[in-house]
Amino acid sequence: MSLNRNEKAAVVADVSTQVARSQTLALAEYRGLSVENLNVLRRQARDKGVYLHVLKNSLARRAVAGTPFEVAQPTMVGPLIYGFSEDAVAAAKVLADFAKGNDKLVVKGGAYAGKALDANGVKALAAIPSKEVLRAQRLGLMHSPFSRFARVLAAIAEKRAVPVEAAVEAAAEPAAEAAAVEPAVAEAPAAEAPAAEAPPADAPAEA
């Protein structure tokens, strides 16, 4: 259905708002994509914070004119779905990942940091870990030394048949390396108490 002038202006204004807050634009041709698959793609985009819409190319060109995404205008040909994202990776990842399992969606190009991307450029951008993944990886690295320390303590406690708390002293050096703190100098583990000496043979027996 054709849009009137006011409706076109509203679409351009909406897209311009997304353009102003986005880092990345990814474009894909959706020719032959079923309505059901298109709805699935839209849900995935929404979950990732990606603004994903089928747009008239003429309106999209108007919306990106004078912005860093203007470099993608030559790619704006054919039935396209547009993905904009504040996250540098999200828009490219949503379209590229969906295209892997559905050949009806064909990545065409996009733009990032004022540079035009071809299809391979969008796929390369999609392969970069997202901000959420990077954050999780950093947290994992932060916690891993403490996890190793806990495993060391458990192993020492099991080997010596003593409580884990008692093994902390013996593991003071690995603890310092894992926790990056200056530990107190650990005392050497106490030697086992010697067995009581046997009484002399001529000693009187106790009553």
Side-chain angles (χ1 to χ4, degrees):
M1 184 175 66
S2 180
L3 301 177
N4 61 39
R5 180 178 298 179
N6 290 337
E7 290 170 333
K8 290 178 180 179
V11 170
V12 172
D14 182 47
V15 177
S16 296
T17 299
Q18 300 302 320
V19 167
R21 63 172 62 139
S22 297
Q23 292 193 67
T24 299
L25 163 64
L27 310 171
E29 188 175 281
Y30 65 96
R31 197 191 309 270
L33 195 67
S34 69
V35 173
E36 181 181 357
N37 284 332
L38 191 57
N39 288 335
V40 170
L41 175 58
R42 283 171 169 156
R43 283 197 299 271
Q44 292 178 356
R46 188 164 53 248
D47 291 343
K48 298 297 183 180
V50 176
Y51 174 92
L52 189 73
H53 282 278
V54 172
L55 299 171
K56 286 184 176 293
N57 296 324
S58 59
L59 300 181
R61 292 192 194 99
R62 285 169 53 186
V64 302
T67 76
F69 298 125
E70 189 174 29
V71 294
Q73 286 184 344
T75 315
M76 298 177 182
V77 179
L80 297 177
I81 190 163
Y82 289 73
F84 291 93
S85 65
E86 297 180 46
D87 182 273
V89 175
K93 188 169 183 61
V94 165
L95 290 178
D97 285 357
F98 192 85
K100 291 177 183 178
N102 195 312
D103 59 5
K104 300 298 182 183
L105 186 78
V106 181
V107 175
K108 302 298 289 185
Y112 172 70
K115 296 182 179 180
L117 302 175
D118 59 11
N120 288 331
V122 172
K123 293 173 185 177
L125 185 61
I128 298 173
S130 67
K131 183 165 58 179
E132 289 75 15
V133 171
L134 290 174
R135 184 180 296 116
Q137 290 174 345
R138 286 198 298 270
L139 288 173
L141 290 174
M142 289 172 62
H143 288 298
S144 59
F146 296 98
S147 298
R148 289 195 298 270
F149 178 46
R151 289 195 295 270
V152 169
L153 294 182
I156 294 173
E158 182 179 356
K159 183 176 181 180
R160 299 190 179 184
V162 296
V164 170
E165 290 81 358
V168 173
E169 185 177 351
E173 186 174 347
E177 183 178 350
V181 294
E182 188 72 21
V185 177
E187 297 180 1
E192 293 184 3
E197 293 184 1
D202 57 350
E206 294 182 0

